Amino acid sequence: QVQLVESGGGLVQAGGSLRLSCAASGRTFSSHAMGWFRQAPGKEREFVAAINWRGDKSGYLDSVKGRFTISRDNAQNTVYLQMDSLKPEDTAVYYCAADLNYGGPYYYSETASSYTYWGQGTQVTVSS
């Protein structure tokens, strides 16, 4: 059974940091792009960050550029999202996802429909 399990969420004050982890089990995703999405109350799920399978190319939502960093450890089948300088508007449930599409060594997608497997999500709350 394939599972993506997020951890590391919580309550933090504005300006603080959190590091989210997403551990995969049931199969390896070392050859696949991975992504993070978030969904705030009353809003649609939105792309946050994604990384290619090699870990050397990534993309970000404009509002998190320079504050968030996505990375991966293929040996551990884990992807991370380091979130710094957090703002109240970053409050959301954060989901990691695995993309099974093949698009070359630099491929990743910012589109939710490209992703096949999703985690259950972890709550991030940023207080002002």
Side-chain angles (χ1 to χ4, degrees), residues 29-114:
F29 292 105
S30 59
S31 298
H32 298 286
M34 301 288 290
W36 286 94
F37 291 75
R38 69 186 182 187
Q39 187 167 18
K43 295 187 177 181
E44 293 188 353
R45 188 172 298 190
E46 67 176 351
F47 167 78
V48 176
I51 190 166
N52 68 330
W53 71 268
R54 302 192 326 181
D56 59 359
K57 187 171 177 65
S58 56
Y60 298 90
L61 178 69
D62 283 347
S63 63
V64 308
K65 285 180 181 176
R67 300 189 297 120
F68 290 11
T69 303
I70 188 171
S71 61
R72 65 189 300 161
D73 183 339
N74 286 339
Q76 298 294 324
N77 218 18
T78 300
V79 64
Y80 304 98
L81 185 67
Q82 176 67 41
M83 305 187 296
D84 299 318
S85 302
L86 282 160
K87 303 176 180 181
E89 51 264 43
D90 294 319
T91 295
V93 177
Y94 283 71
Y95 301 88
C96 75
D99 182 348
L100 299 187
N101 294 299
Y102 288 99
Y106 301 111
Y107 168 81
Y108 64 82
S109 175
E110 299 182 2
T111 304
S113 60
S114 298

